[in-house]
Amino acid sequence: MREIETDYLVVGAGASGMAFVDALVTAADVDVVLVDRRHDPGGHWLNAYPFVRLHQPSANYGVNSRTLGHDQIDEAGLNAGFYERATAAEICAYFSRVLHEDLLPSGRVRFLGTTDYRGMDGDGHHLTSLLTGEETLVKVRRRFVDATYVESSIPSRHTPSFTVDPGVRLVPPNDLVDLDEPAGGFTVLGAGKTAMDTCNWLLDAGVDPEQIQWFRPRDPWLFDRRAMQPLDLVASYMRMQATWVAAAAQAEDGGDFARRLEADGIFLRIDAQEEPTMFRGATISSREIDALRTIDQVVRERRVLHIGTDRIVTDDGDLGAQRDQVYVDCTAPGVRATVPRPVFEGDRMTLQYVTIGIVPWSAATIGTVEARADDDAGKNRLCPPLTFTGQTADLLRISHAGMTGMAARASDADLNAWNEGSRLNPAAGAAQRLDDPQVQEAFAAVLTNLGPAMANLALRTGAEPLATA
Ligand SMILES: Cc1cc2nc3c(=O)[nH]c(=O)nc-3n(C[C@H](O)[C@H](O)[C@H](O)COP(=O)(O)OP(=O)(O)OC[C@H]3O[C@@H](n4cnc5c(N)ncnc54)[C@H](O)[C@@H]3O)c2cc1C
């Protein structure tokens, strides 16, 4: 068995692992071994459906040290007026260049692809090459870093919870671009952003809305993309922050909070008649929502158990099925629900959300905090995790953790300066635009409402002091 030694063993080379390693080696002179089952960095994007794009602008995605895309505002299509969003292919090429042109040449990062992390024992951490079977024992001088905790669950890699009869055409969205023959219609299964992307892509490709049936058991709250714009449009992001803090000062529960954000143009829902119970932090434009609303055949509050050639069995009775349907499985949850756990715990770290909805910003923040001289209690105070369960009801708890962390980091001069200069922070540069009345107004509103918001959130959530190692 081969033996190697390193300061940090990072398992997972998706956006989390890459943004963390980039920030860590920028701030500290350390040695890192980065491991992934996949052959290259990029994580789930390597297996994403071909028509996927980032939900958010490329301007704030990737690693801190290298831009993704050209920070341009799109002029045409569903994203017109908003900052460009990378495709999966662009994201994969980007992460590959970060690894091969920046991290590996630094001489401080080694990458072991197609390698499975198998756990640890008294000897050290065990890796197995998925190509050769070669085993490697890793001795870690500082920390083991779990960059798989918020790993994405995607349709092309998951096993659906329902069964299908032979002859039923069930595909992940990936296969829609490669059908052998035309479909009589499409049945889209799932309530998340992948299902929305799939419906929008079908509509955009010319499929009649009447040819689409959508099993959407629950509805989600979604960020309006208009409110998530950085750089020259950062006033929109600052307005979102101000609205968020004001709503947090008043809201009685997660549903009330979400409706306040909707009233102020921050949250969207697909169907005005349905109260959304899901929140996974996804972003969409009102143009996409308008297109989705043209689909009338929506089946609600039923979970599919089995698809036969002439009937669909659900947990609330059977429905008829057409033989020539293509069923599109969009039921993988994407962002996985997690249980609370501190980020810094002795010889272990767990990468997770410490900002609302943005994985790379969270991971880079953690990497930067890790490079500091603090003990674990101090680092955990700066990085309280936002534990996503996917439920609207959790919005107040998530907000409390997010605002607690932001306030703690803002009161630390070095960390605040790092955050202000980070391309991953959508609010970066806002403080230099105080001549814009909208930005000025947003800062003033945040200052006015922050205290009442923290008090209200603590009261409503019964927030405990945050666990530290
Ligand atoms: C369709 C889609 C669009 C999204 N859009 C956005 C967006 O616009 N903005 C945003 O912030 N987030 C978005 N997300 C959320 C997404 O989860 C994050 O952006 C991010 O890509 C997740 O990165 P990750 O590294 O945490 O997980 P992953 O990309 O899943 O990477 C985890 C890696 O860990 C590896 N791994 C797991 N177990 C082991 C093991 N035992 N040994 C070795 N390797 C292992 C896996 O092979 C994988 O490569 C989107 C998610 C989806 C599904």
Side-chain angles (χ1 to χ4, degrees), residues 29 66 80 83 96 137 181 264 302 307 320 338 397 400 402 429 440 448 453:
D29 184 14
R66 186 188 269 253
Y83 275 97
S96 193
L137 182 69
E181 48 185 282
D264 281 333
R302 287 175 184 236
I307 303 173
T338 51
R397 196 181 42 71
H400 184 264
Q440 204 179 92
T448 306

Side-chain angles (χ1 to χ4, degrees), residues 14-16 36-38 43-45 55-56 61 116-117 151-152:
S16 295
D36 204 295
R37 284 178 186 146
R38 290 179 163 102
H44 74 88
W45 294 107
H55 303 172
Q56 62 165 95
Y61 201 82
D116 198 23
Y117 176 72
E151 185 178 8
S152 299

Side-chain angles (χ1 to χ4, degrees), residues 40-361:
D40 222 14
H44 74 88
W45 294 107
L46 288 159
N47 301 96
Y49 41 100
F51 46 86
V52 72
R53 281 181 183 268
L54 279 174
H55 303 172
Q56 62 165 95
S58 303
N60 310 123
Y61 201 82
V63 303
N64 195 34
S65 68
R66 186 188 269 253
T67 53
L68 168 59
H70 306 286
D71 291 351
Q72 279 174 1
I73 296 177
D74 284 346
E75 290 180 1
L78 287 174
N79 200 49
F82 301 141
Y83 275 97
E84 62 177 280
R85 299 180 294 130
T87 63
E90 287 166 342
I91 297 167
C92 294
Y94 166 87
F95 279 125
S96 193
R97 292 186 71 176
V98 171
L99 178 71
H100 295 286
E101 295 177 9
D102 302 336
L103 297 181
L104 297 182
S106 77
R108 293 189 284 139
V109 179
R110 284 169 278 175
F111 178 64
L112 305 180
T114 54
T115 298
D116 198 23
Y117 176 72
R118 294 278 162 97
M120 76 167 295
D121 58 21
D123 295 331
H125 296 266
H126 293 267
L127 309 177
T128 302
S129 162
L130 295 173
L131 287 178
T132 64
E134 183 188 16
E135 304 215 338
T136 302
L137 182 69
V138 189
K139 305 270 189 195
V140 177
R141 291 187 288 263
R142 295 193 185 181
R143 305 226 210 214
F144 163 77
V145 182
D146 181 2
T148 71
Y149 198 62
V150 291
E151 185 178 8
S152 299
S153 171
I154 56 169
S156 63
R157 287 290 187 102
H158 93 139
T159 308
S161 61
F162 53 88
T163 50
V164 292
D165 276 348
V168 169
R169 294 169 78 189
L170 175 71
V171 297
N174 307 51
D175 292 0
L176 281 177
V177 297
D178 201 19
L179 294 180
D180 291 335
E181 48 185 282
F186 295 89
T187 296
V188 177
L189 307 156
K193 188 62 176 37
T194 298
M196 291 173 224
D197 283 354
T198 299
C199 290
N200 266 320
W201 183 79
L202 288 170
L203 292 167
D204 210 36
V207 175
D208 192 310
E210 289 183 9
Q211 293 295 101
I212 302 175
Q213 173 177 236
W214 188 357
F215 277 78
R216 197 170 81 225
R218 301 190 296 151
D219 274 23
W221 285 112
L222 301 151
F223 279 106
D224 187 335
R225 187 163 295 129
R226 185 180 298 279
M228 305 298 279
Q229 299 298 309
L231 303 171
D232 289 348
L233 305 178
V234 74
S236 74
Y237 189 83
M238 293 312 299
R239 187 179 162 275
M240 184 279 288
Q241 288 210 319
T243 309
W244 188 281
V245 177
Q250 303 284 330
E252 292 176 9
D253 55 35
D256 180 28
F257 183 65
R259 287 188 297 277
R260 286 171 188 270
L261 293 181
E262 181 188 35
D264 281 333
I266 306 299
F267 271 10
L268 292 169
R269 61 173 119 181
I270 305 168
D271 186 335
Q273 309 307 317
E274 290 293 318
E275 178 75 15
T277 55
M278 285 167 63
F279 173 71
R280 293 205 183 119
T283 301
I284 198 165
S285 69
S286 52
R287 290 188 198 98
E288 287 168 90
I289 290 279
D290 288 346
L292 293 176
R293 286 178 178 160
T294 64
I295 299 173
D296 287 333
Q297 294 183 69
V298 178
V299 183
R300 299 181 186 287
E301 291 174 15
R302 287 175 184 236
R303 294 200 171 268
V304 172
L305 303 176
H306 180 78
I307 303 173
T309 46
D310 53 10
R311 75 193 170 109
I312 302 172
V313 182
T314 78
D315 58 358
D316 192 25
D318 292 4
L319 299 169
Q322 286 169 6
R323 283 178 180 266
D324 55 0
Q325 283 288 294
V326 167
Y327 294 87
V328 193
D329 175 28
C330 303
T331 61
V335 176
R336 286 196 316 188
T338 51
V339 292
R341 118 164 261 173
V343 173
F344 304 92
E345 295 176 276
D347 57 6
R348 177 195 170 96
M349 291 175 60
T350 306
L351 303 189
Q352 50 198 303
Y353 289 92
V354 297
T355 61
I356 291 178
I358 304 184
V359 162
W361 185 21

